[in-house]
């Protein structure tokens, strides 16, 4: 178990500046009871009794940065519709400095989940890819925001906002800003030169191929680090914890903590937010990984896209100290 993260490290996260660029979305939840099956088709009838809305995607990364004590600036594209208005309101409530570029022809990405007794019954997605004009605005706005940022996060959910990811990475690295990428899809070449990639186990297997043994995973990680000229690769591995692979240095593994997993949605957002703040605060790799693992563990114990606070991380550290005594 990595023990490099100490309680005195946590105040160093306060006020660190993270620029988040990527696919912002609205997560909407409808809650209700199921007491019968529809006579029209063999599907449950949900009597909706409540609803909730939360920031999703890149907006949830920014939300997690703020929850952990940092400052977040969000750069994304939305439509001009009701979902965009709700994102605006939630960003204001969370004190996130956002520059949302509007594409009138674009439906704002919306994920609608219907749940009964904490079980998800169905998810409905509303989405489309931004127009070229909106993406050009992203590049222009990025140049202005880069001066403010200490660390850049590219949150890629495959919705099209990061079509120019390679250009953004080049500009950020030229300005000596670390770039953390939460990747999506099969084309990792466009992330070439990033500081850190954070695929989950399934995502990395999709691009690197499956592995049966630890040494095979290590070999694949080393290959992709060299191929993409990336400094670090963090593979999140669910019940196996997470492993940080580093160019020219030994890998670091942080095991998962035994806990009840309620919902894994949004946990990756928490991981990249925690890592970004750790980079900005100049914590070492071991402390950064441990922070990300603790924060993600807190979030999977909550329903839906959620955040971990500094206070909650401190409480987890205290539990670890007690267990070691």
């Amino acid at each position: 178990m990595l023990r490099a993260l100490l309680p005195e490290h946590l105040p160093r996260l306060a006020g660190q500046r993270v620029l988040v660029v990527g696919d912002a979305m609205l997560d909407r939840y409808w809650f209700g009871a199921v007491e019968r099956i529809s006579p029209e088709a063999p599907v449950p009838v949900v009597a909706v009794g409540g609803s909730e809305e939360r920031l999703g995607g890149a907006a949830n990364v920014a939300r997690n940065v703020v929850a952990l004590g940092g400052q977040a600036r969000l750069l994304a594209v939305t439509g001009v519709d009701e979902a965009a208005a709700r994102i605006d309101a939630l960003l204001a409530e969370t004190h996130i400095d956002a520059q949302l570029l509007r594409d009138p022809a674009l439906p704002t990405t919306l994920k609608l989940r219907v749940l009964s007794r904490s079980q998800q019954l169905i998810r409905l997605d509303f989405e489309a890819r931004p127009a070229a004009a909106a993406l050009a605005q992203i590049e222009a706005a990025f140049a202005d925001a880069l001066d403010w940022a200490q660390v850049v996060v590219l949150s890629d959910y495959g919705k099209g906002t990061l079509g120019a990811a390679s250009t953004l990475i080049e500009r950020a690295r030229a300005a000596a800003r670390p770039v953390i990428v939460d990747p999506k899809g099969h084309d990792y070449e466009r992330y070439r030169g990033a500081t850190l990639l954070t695929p989950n186990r399934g995502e990395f297997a999709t691009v690197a191929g499956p592995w049966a043994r630890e040494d095979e995973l290590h070999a694949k990680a080393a290959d992709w680090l060299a191929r993409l000229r990336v400094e670090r690769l963090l593979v999140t591995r669910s019940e196996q914890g997470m492993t940080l692979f580093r160019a020219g240095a030994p890998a670091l593994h942080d095991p998962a903590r035994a806990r009840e997993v309620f919902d894994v949605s949004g946990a990756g957002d928490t991981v990249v937010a925690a890592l970004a703040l750790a980079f900005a605060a100049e914590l070492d790799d071991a402390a950064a990984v441990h922070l990300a693992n603790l924060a993600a563990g807190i979030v999977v114990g909550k329903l839906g896209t959620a955040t971990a606070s500094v206070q909650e991380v401190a409480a987890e550290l205290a539990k670890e100290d007690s267990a070691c005594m």
Side-chain angles (χ1 to χ4, degrees):
M1 178 184 294
L2 300 177
R3 296 295 298 149
L5 183 66
L6 303 172
E8 51 265 37
H9 287 145
L10 299 182
R12 291 169 56 181
L13 307 181
Q16 305 293 345
R17 303 184 304 277
V18 178
L19 171 62
V20 182
V21 188
D23 299 305
M25 59 192 71
L26 180 67
D27 284 347
R28 179 169 285 162
Y29 301 85
W30 286 353
F31 306 97
V34 174
E35 298 179 350
R36 61 193 176 98
I37 300 299
S38 171
E40 302 165 358
V43 294
V45 175
V46 181
V48 176
S51 64
E52 188 173 341
E53 293 169 333
R54 300 180 189 177
L55 296 169
N60 188 46
V61 176
R63 178 177 170 232
N64 271 273
V65 168
V66 172
L68 286 168
Q71 300 179 64
R73 183 170 291 182
L74 173 66
L75 184 55
V77 180
T78 69
V80 183
D81 52 21
E82 181 266 344
R86 290 300 304 140
I87 289 176
D88 286 340
L90 291 170
L91 288 169
E93 291 174 9
T94 317
H95 306 295
I96 295 169
D97 179 11
Q99 184 173 359
L100 300 182
L101 306 173
R102 310 297 184 179
D103 182 348
L106 179 75
T108 300
T109 301
L110 168 66
K111 294 181 180 180
L112 171 60
R113 298 171 175 88
V114 181
L115 299 95
S116 180
R117 296 181 180 176
S118 301
Q119 296 297 313
Q120 186 176 149
L121 303 180
I122 191 171
R123 193 182 91 183
L124 307 175
D125 289 6
F126 305 84
E127 62 188 42
R129 300 183 76 83
L135 298 184
Q137 292 182 64
I138 284 280
E139 290 188 52
F142 181 78
D144 292 335
L146 195 55
D147 288 340
W148 172 87
Q150 294 171 275
V151 176
V152 174
V153 169
L154 301 186
S155 176
D156 195 347
Y157 272 78
K159 310 303 180 186
T161 305
L162 291 172
S166 59
T167 299
L168 302 184
I169 291 170
E170 288 176 8
R171 290 181 178 176
R173 297 313 304 271
R177 301 298 192 273
V179 181
I180 299 173
V181 181
D182 190 2
K184 189 68 67 177
H186 298 80
D187 180 17
Y188 276 26
E189 286 294 328
R190 61 204 191 95
Y191 306 132
R192 176 180 295 274
T195 308
L196 169 65
L197 301 185
T198 64
N200 63 35
R201 179 172 55 192
E203 290 167 340
F204 188 56
T206 296
V207 297
W211 58 86
R213 303 187 311 272
E214 256 330 272
D215 62 322
E216 293 177 343
L217 170 59
H218 283 243
K220 289 179 181 295
D223 175 54
W224 279 90
L225 284 169
R227 186 184 305 189
L228 299 177
R229 294 186 218 166
V230 169
E231 296 174 14
R232 300 171 181 86
L233 173 72
L234 180 78
V235 181
T236 55
R237 306 171 64 184
S238 301
E239 73 282 354
Q240 294 177 317
M242 54 182 64
T243 307
L244 179 70
F245 300 96
R246 303 179 291 176
L252 297 173
H253 182 72
D254 200 49
R257 274 72 186 162
R259 66 176 72 246
E260 182 178 359
V261 176
F262 198 71
D263 192 339
V264 299
S265 60
D269 300 336
T270 304
V271 168
V272 294
L275 291 171
L277 286 173
F279 270 54
E282 299 183 344
L283 301 187
D284 63 30
D285 286 345
V289 173
H290 197 54
L291 172 66
N293 204 8
L294 286 181
I298 292 164
V299 164
V300 299
K302 301 179 181 181
L303 175 63
T305 49
T307 62
S309 68
V310 172
Q311 293 77 15
E312 288 172 318
V313 173
E316 290 296 314
L317 284 174
K319 289 179 185 177
E320 289 185 347
D321 289 340
S322 297
C324 291
M325 290 180 179

